[in-house]
């Protein structure tokens, strides 16, 4: 939703449909996660989100954080519909319908997507966008329910699934691609903001910006398992960058993270 608000000026119809969906289905959104997500966003993101949130709040009587005092004139289309939660792509909504909106649900989603993982509460807090205290309490409840197992490694508690297959069987279909959406959308924003209207810029300055972008994306790309090419030095990177980003965005639009040519 935050990403959609940012690109809203480029795709107003998508933004309006997203607002329409949120006005009708805001009950499935966690305000606690929104607050944590908005803590470190850039000023332009905060500004675009403020208008989006204000519009949704006015249309649905919600109190989403970060809203501006004014919102543009907007009339809900009422075209948005909730598809059956049994669809794999709606796993997040299915989990919230089953277990409620809170840290416990996000912890379960993490382990559903990383069934062999053994992680500490601090890592889960980063992944779920809840506080470490909330995550620790959720994990302890899941340990009591014998869904999670707790162990001590290097003088700290770590958690893993008690029976990995049991959770999948109970919850149902999971999508084949389950990326770190925060990392993925940060990469997409970086690509969109880099080289925007390149004809209006000096090639040397643009090359510097592109090199900076490749470095800033490195951690998120590693988290997503996406390889960056061996970048050329100087202005030689420009053609390489535009070819690579075009190919990458095409793959992402098709739901493909891995580059088939690298297999």
């Amino acid at each position: 939703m935050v990403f959609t608000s940012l690109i809203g000026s480029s795709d107003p119809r998508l933004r309006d449909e997203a607002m329409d969906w949120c006005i009708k289905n805001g009950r499935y959104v966690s305000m606690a996660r929104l607050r944590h997500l908005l803590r470190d966003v850039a000023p332009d993101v905060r500004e675009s989100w403020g208008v989006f949130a204000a519009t949704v709040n006015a249309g649905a009587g919600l109190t989403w954080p970060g809203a501006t005092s004014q919102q543009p004139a907007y009339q809900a289309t009422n075209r948005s519909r909730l598809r059956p939660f049994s669809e794999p792509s709606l796993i997040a909504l299915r989990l919230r319908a089953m277990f409620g909106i809170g840290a416990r649900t996000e912890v379960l989603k993490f382990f559903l997507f990383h069934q062999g993982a053994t992680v500490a509460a601090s890592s889960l807090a980063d992944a779920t966008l809840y506080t470490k205290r909330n995550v620790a309490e959720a994990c302890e409840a899941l340990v009591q329910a014998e869904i999670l197992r707790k162990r001590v490694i290097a003088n700290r508690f770590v958690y893993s699934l008690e029976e990995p297959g049991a959770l999948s069987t109970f919850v149902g279909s999971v999508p084949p691609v389950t990326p770190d959406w925060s990392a993925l959308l940060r990469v997409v924003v970086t690509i969109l903001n880099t080289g925007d209207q390149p004809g209006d810029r000096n090639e040397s300055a643009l090359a510097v910006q592109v090199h900076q972008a490749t470095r800033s994306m490195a951690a998120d790309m590693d988290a997503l398992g996406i390889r960056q090419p061996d970048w050329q030095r100087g202005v030689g990177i420009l053609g390489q960058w535009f070819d690579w980003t075009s190919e990458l965005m095409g793959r992402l639009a098709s739901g493909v993270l891995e580059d088939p040519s690298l297999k």
Side-chain angles (χ1 to χ4, degrees):
M1 295 185 305
V2 175
F3 174 78
T4 303
S5 74
L6 179 64
I7 64 169
S9 59
S10 300
D11 196 337
R13 189 172 72 170
L14 172 63
R15 178 199 58 208
D16 290 353
E17 288 304 315
M19 287 179 178
D20 186 67
W21 190 95
C22 291
I23 288 172
K24 293 186 65 176
N25 304 293
R27 63 188 180 280
Y28 291 109
V29 177
S30 166
M31 286 198 292
R33 293 191 79 227
L34 271 177
R35 291 190 188 96
H36 283 88
L37 185 63
L38 293 169
R39 284 184 308 180
D40 302 318
V41 299
D44 60 332
V45 179
R46 189 175 300 279
E47 180 179 355
S48 64
W49 168 255
V51 176
F52 188 100
T55 305
V56 174
N57 286 348
L62 299 173
T63 56
W64 281 5
T68 60
S69 58
Q70 296 180 338
Q71 71 277 345
Y74 173 77
Q75 182 67 42
T77 65
N78 294 315
R79 288 195 295 261
S80 296
R81 298 288 184 271
L82 276 180
R83 302 194 309 275
F85 288 175
S86 57
E87 294 183 18
S89 62
L90 298 183
I91 180 65
L93 295 181
R94 190 187 326 146
L95 286 167
R96 293 178 188 186
M98 296 170 75
F99 303 110
I101 299 173
R104 191 176 312 178
T105 295
E106 297 306 315
V107 168
L108 287 172
K109 185 177 73 173
F110 176 88
F111 282 110
L112 191 65
F113 293 171
H114 308 84
Q115 296 205 17
T118 299
V119 293
S122 57
S123 297
L124 284 170
D126 292 338
T128 62
L129 296 176
Y130 278 94
T131 65
K132 183 179 177 180
R133 177 180 177 180
N134 286 342
V135 167
E137 291 175 351
C139 287
E140 288 301 314
L142 292 169
V143 169
Q144 290 294 323
E146 298 185 349
I147 296 174
L148 295 185
R149 175 188 305 171
K150 181 170 72 171
R151 290 179 290 164
V152 177
I153 297 180
N155 295 321
R156 63 176 182 169
F157 293 122
V158 295
Y159 302 90
S160 59
L161 281 176
E162 186 72 47
E163 296 183 36
L167 181 61
S168 297
T169 300
F170 179 73
V171 170
S173 300
V174 176
V177 180
T178 56
D180 179 334
W181 285 104
S182 293
L184 179 59
L185 294 177
R186 282 194 297 266
V187 167
V188 173
V189 168
T190 300
I191 291 173
L192 291 176
N193 290 341
T194 302
D196 185 27
Q197 299 178 349
D200 296 338
R201 302 184 184 183
N202 175 275
E203 279 195 344
S204 297
L206 182 56
V208 170
Q209 185 189 19
V210 169
H211 280 291
Q212 291 173 340
T214 63
R215 290 191 292 270
S216 71
M217 295 192 306
D220 285 333
M221 296 290 279
D222 288 343
L224 293 165
I226 301 175
R227 301 184 195 179
Q228 294 194 59
D230 294 326
W231 297 110
Q232 298 180 28
R233 296 185 177 183
V235 296
I237 197 176
L238 296 181
Q240 188 183 16
W241 166 262
F242 292 118
D243 289 343
W244 177 75
T245 53
S246 296
E247 190 272 338
L248 174 62
M249 296 291 272
R251 282 195 283 112
L252 295 181
S254 301
V256 180
L257 291 181
E258 295 183 354
D259 184 348
S261 66
L262 298 177
K263 290 185 176 180

